[in-house]
Amino acid sequence: VKAKYTLLFFYTPGCASCVHVTGQLKNSGIVGKMVQEGTLPLLAMSTQDDTPSWRKYLHEIPHNWVSGCDRDMLLTVDGIYDLRVPPVLYLLDADKKILLKDVPFVQIEEYLK
């Protein structure tokens, strides 16, 4: 993905906090604008191996986000990301270096402004 930033959103389908953050992301003017412009690809990744739950939750994910499911639980098993308690947000720069890690959405939004 070539872009100024990349936003990673790790979630568990149906978790109340994840639903809340999904709403924040969907309703954010700055995030919506940047996603639309292509300057902020948003990857929403289910951390569960329960593909049916992920498929059921897909209607909550906007069509211009990239959505995925960790079927083989590699993110959790390999410990690539710190995913103790979803939802977890990571903001990456153009070189995919971590700028913000596991911060509240308001910090992501402030950084992007």
Side-chain angles (χ1 to χ4, degrees):
V1 174
K2 292 185 181 184
K4 185 174 181 179
Y5 300 107
T6 301
L7 183 56
L8 306 179
F9 171 44
F10 298 101
Y11 70 94
T12 300
C15 109
S17 295
C18 299
V19 170
H20 178 73
V21 171
T22 299
Q24 288 179 305
L25 290 165
K26 287 168 44 174
N27 294 317
S28 170
I30 187 75
V31 170
K33 180 181 178 201
M34 292 178 76
V35 168
Q36 190 69 27
E37 293 172 345
T39 56
L40 180 71
L42 199 158
L43 172 63
M45 178 64 72
S46 170
T47 59
Q48 298 296 303
D49 64 350
D50 187 346
T51 304
S53 292
W54 170 69
R55 290 190 191 283
K56 185 177 178 183
Y57 194 77
L58 278 176
H59 74 279
E60 295 294 329
I61 305 296
H63 72 320
N64 57 355
W65 296 7
V66 177
S67 182
C69 176
D70 188 17
R71 255 184 255 187
D72 298 325
M73 301 298 292
L74 296 176
L75 294 171
T76 306
V77 173
D78 291 349
I80 298 169
Y81 295 96
D82 184 4
L83 305 175
R84 287 175 280 180
V85 180
V88 176
L89 295 166
Y90 277 77
L91 183 65
L92 311 178
D93 69 8
D95 297 321
K96 307 307 174 245
K97 292 183 183 157
I98 297 170
L99 297 172
L100 298 173
K101 172 186 172 182
D102 196 13
V103 295
F105 172 70
V106 293
Q107 274 188 265
I108 299 277
E109 199 170 41
E110 279 300 312
Y111 188 94
L112 294 173
K113 290 179 181 176

